[in-house]
Amino acid sequence: MIRLIFYSQDVKLQYLLAPTLGADFEVVVESKQDRVKQLIAEKHCDVLVLDYDSSHGSTEQQLGFYDEIRNTNIPIVVMTDDDRRSTAMELVHRGVYDYFRKPPSLPELKIIVRRAHAHAVLKSDFESLHKQAPVIGPPITAGCDQLIGAGARSRAVYDLIHRVKNVSSFVLITGESGTGKELIARAIHNLSDRAKLPFVAVSSGAIPETLIESELFGHEKGAFTGAAGMRAGYLEQAGAGTLFLDEIGELSLHTQVKLLRALQQREFTRLGSSRPIPLRARVLFATHRNPAKMVEEGSFRQDLYYRVNVMRINSPALRDRTEDIPDLAHHILQQYSSLYGKPMRSIEPAAMAALMEYPWPGNIRELENVIQSAIIFSEGDSIGLDDLPEALQELEPLCLGETAPSGSFEEQLRDYRIKLATNAVQDANGNKTVAARSLNISRAYLHRLIREAGENVTA
């Protein structure tokens, strides 16, 4: 049963609405703000419905006390007789879950309240899971085979992927271009209970604005000039699987409105048709831009931002997880040396040091390009410093000793990591916590590297 507080100054509306909601709702009618806050504090409220009457004062006056309860995670639904756009934007800006016009439609009100409650439950469960177990120890890599890296930031991403995999809610993946946002989306799909169903990836920025609606929602024959037949859009093609909508920030405001409606109503229509089609797919979103800043600039709808930003995963830039570069570089080396039919054994230490010093503005995509080029230019079976672009050759490499390591690639990689760990501990004057933080790795992993070195470094 959903516990609902209906706050209104309209006595007639109070007694008209409360008894008609049905047995699924426990309704408490209140006209005093202090009593509403008390009930919320005592955990006697799942959803709060506010009656906003434009004749009873400004939005600020009527909703001012919302600021006092915004941290309670109680979803707020507003009933209003004001159809001005400025009022709607003010409500959304304050973070209300949804709003609707008076007089209320009883079926609509029930649907909105149930959705608000389900949304709050999902959000609460996700936040409690996130607080239960900090990301320490070995990475959760199962099902994330295409994601390479064992550093702290990568493990945090793996952890979030596992937490959201079967939570049927929207996920917003952010991060710079070339950081692997689509790989994160695919990992979520592959780990979910939808893994055997379609995964449809769409790049919004690659579709002309004149075609984006047709591509997303589909169209009927004759819907527009050139529509020779019916076409199912990406929302329909995904079925009950997963739709990955990349670069959502490139959508026009007009398309954002239609997308928002489809997400809210869980249904859409093809162009040229009035028949609603259920939206069965789980939708994942991604952008390389700052969506909050876009909202401030007016290029991204605030209500759509709140709708898609339920759960968020940030794909870290390569410069922020340099400890993953050796693994990434080796993976790319094996992949492309096989593709080009040019077996490569390893990356020489000086070249690897340069790779780890470079800031990588193009992220993993740029690293991939550099390794491919080095494979082609290399005259031996390993990549040396001379095989890298001049920008990397000019970098001052990390001082890891004058003697070049020997052995297999794995042995060299192990020695390289151990050297980084011991140097970091020395630079931190023996403080392993500071050393681990400087390398963006866990303290437990740092201890393991030190033990492998067989050195007695005091804390």
Side-chain angles (χ1 to χ4, degrees):
M1 181 177 291
I2 299 175
R3 296 170 299 180
L4 184 150
I5 294 178
F6 176 47
Y7 172 74
S8 174
Q9 303 293 327
D10 188 336
V11 177
K12 186 181 295 185
L13 185 60
Q14 290 177 7
Y15 288 99
L16 176 67
L17 188 63
T20 60
L21 281 173
D24 293 339
F25 301 89
E26 178 186 323
V27 182
V28 176
V29 178
E30 281 296 336
S31 58
K32 296 181 179 180
Q33 294 182 9
D34 290 342
R35 180 58 180 160
V36 171
K37 288 185 283 188
Q38 180 184 349
L39 289 171
I40 291 175
E42 294 174 353
K43 309 296 184 184
H44 293 311
C45 176
D46 295 320
V47 179
L48 175 61
V49 177
L50 300 181
D51 175 20
Y52 168 55
D53 190 332
S54 60
S55 65
H56 289 172
S58 67
T59 306
E60 185 63 35
Q61 291 173 326
Q62 296 197 54
L63 299 181
F65 81 104
Y66 168 62
D67 293 333
E68 302 176 37
I69 58 174
R70 68 166 62 246
N71 295 325
T72 61
N73 291 326
I74 299 297
I76 296 180
V77 177
V78 174
M79 179 189 307
T80 178
D81 61 349
D82 191 337
D83 60 358
R84 290 177 298 177
R85 177 178 173 80
S86 60
T87 301
M89 291 303 296
E90 175 65 19
L91 294 174
V92 172
H93 178 71
R94 286 177 176 271
V96 301
Y97 176 79
D98 209 339
Y99 60 91
F100 59 95
R101 292 290 311 282
K102 289 194 295 185
S105 162
L106 197 59
E108 180 186 13
L109 177 58
K110 289 182 177 180
I111 290 172
I112 291 175
V113 170
R114 287 194 178 101
R115 284 177 179 168
H117 180 245
H119 173 86
V121 170
L122 280 173
K123 187 174 181 180
S124 177
D125 289 347
F126 177 74
E127 290 175 350
S128 62
L129 279 172
H130 193 59
K131 292 176 181 177
Q132 284 174 11
V135 183
I136 55 176
I140 308 172
T141 57
C144 305
D145 301 334
Q146 292 182 302
L147 298 170
I148 308 298
R153 290 178 181 269
S154 295
R155 292 199 309 275
V157 171
Y158 302 150
D159 178 71
L160 287 174
I161 288 172
H162 278 267
R163 292 180 188 276
V164 306
K165 61 184 180 183
N166 285 323
V167 180
S168 294
S169 186
F170 304 127
V171 177
L172 177 62
I173 306 170
T174 56
E176 298 176 8
S177 295
T179 55
K181 295 186 289 296
E182 183 173 340
L183 294 180
I184 292 175
R186 288 186 180 275
I188 293 173
H189 173 77
N190 292 337
L191 283 166
S192 74
D193 50 15
R194 304 172 188 256
K196 295 183 179 180
L197 299 172
F199 177 88
V200 177
V202 182
S203 178
S204 306
I207 304 174
E209 174 59 29
T210 53
L211 297 177
I212 187 66
E213 287 188 39
S214 172
E215 294 294 305
L216 284 178
F217 304 106
H219 62 257
E220 297 289 346
K221 180 179 180 180
F224 53 85
T225 303
M230 187 278 290
R231 180 185 182 281
Y234 292 123
L235 291 172
E236 192 173 351
Q237 291 175 31
T242 301
L243 174 67
F244 173 56
L245 193 54
D246 197 6
E247 298 305 344
I248 188 176
E250 305 303 319
L251 294 175
S252 69
L253 291 173
H254 174 72
T255 305
Q256 289 178 33
V257 173
K258 296 199 66 173
L259 177 61
L260 175 63
R261 179 173 177 80
L263 299 177
Q264 287 179 329
Q265 303 298 326
R266 298 300 300 179
E267 64 181 25
F268 59 94
T269 57
R270 301 191 194 113
L271 297 183
S273 171
S274 59
R275 182 177 66 87
I277 300 172
L279 174 58
R280 299 183 295 138
R282 181 185 188 180
V283 188
L284 309 177
F285 306 89
T287 179
H288 74 282
R289 303 171 69 178
N290 184 333
K293 186 175 180 181
M294 292 180 66
V295 169
E296 292 179 4
E297 296 170 347
S299 59
F300 197 82
R301 289 183 61 92
Q302 192 171 43
D303 45 7
L304 179 60
Y305 172 58
Y306 287 134
R307 181 67 63 183
V308 304
N309 192 32
V310 177
M311 300 176 185
R312 188 165 179 169
I313 299 177
N314 182 62
S315 184
L318 188 55
R319 61 180 172 276
D320 294 329
R321 57 183 188 113
T322 54
E323 71 276 13
D324 292 337
I325 289 177
D327 285 338
L328 284 164
H330 180 236
H331 174 78
I332 296 170
L333 178 74
Q334 297 304 314
Q335 180 183 8
Y336 283 99
S337 63
S338 175
L339 179 65
Y340 295 154
K342 188 177 180 181
M344 303 293 289
R345 180 175 58 84
S346 63
I347 300 174
E348 296 175 6
M352 184 62 76
L355 293 177
M356 296 189 71
E357 282 287 280
Y358 186 65
W360 299 110
N363 292 295
I364 300 173
R365 192 174 292 129
E366 185 181 8
L367 175 63
E368 188 175 25
N369 181 274
V370 166
I371 298 296
Q372 288 185 68
S373 175
I375 291 171
I376 295 171
F377 281 106
S378 176
E379 297 180 355
D381 60 357
S382 63
I383 292 177
L385 186 61
D386 292 342
D387 299 317
L388 300 178
E390 290 184 7
L392 277 77
Q393 294 182 32
E394 295 171 356
L395 294 173
E396 182 179 349
L398 292 169
C399 180
L400 301 177
E402 297 179 358
T403 305
S406 59
S408 67
F409 176 84
E410 287 73 18
E411 290 171 338
Q412 292 184 44
L413 192 57
R414 180 202 61 200
D415 293 342
Y416 188 81
R417 286 173 172 162
I418 289 172
K419 204 72 170 178
L420 281 174
T422 53
N423 283 354
V425 173
Q426 292 170 5
D427 292 342
N429 296 320
N431 189 319
K432 295 177 185 176
T433 300
V434 173
R437 190 179 298 122
S438 70
L439 294 173
N440 279 328
I441 62 176
S442 69
R443 198 171 189 272
Y445 185 45
L446 180 73
H447 273 286
R448 193 171 79 214
L449 291 173
I450 293 172
R451 284 198 302 272
E452 288 179 10
E455 296 182 13
N456 184 20
V457 181
T458 57

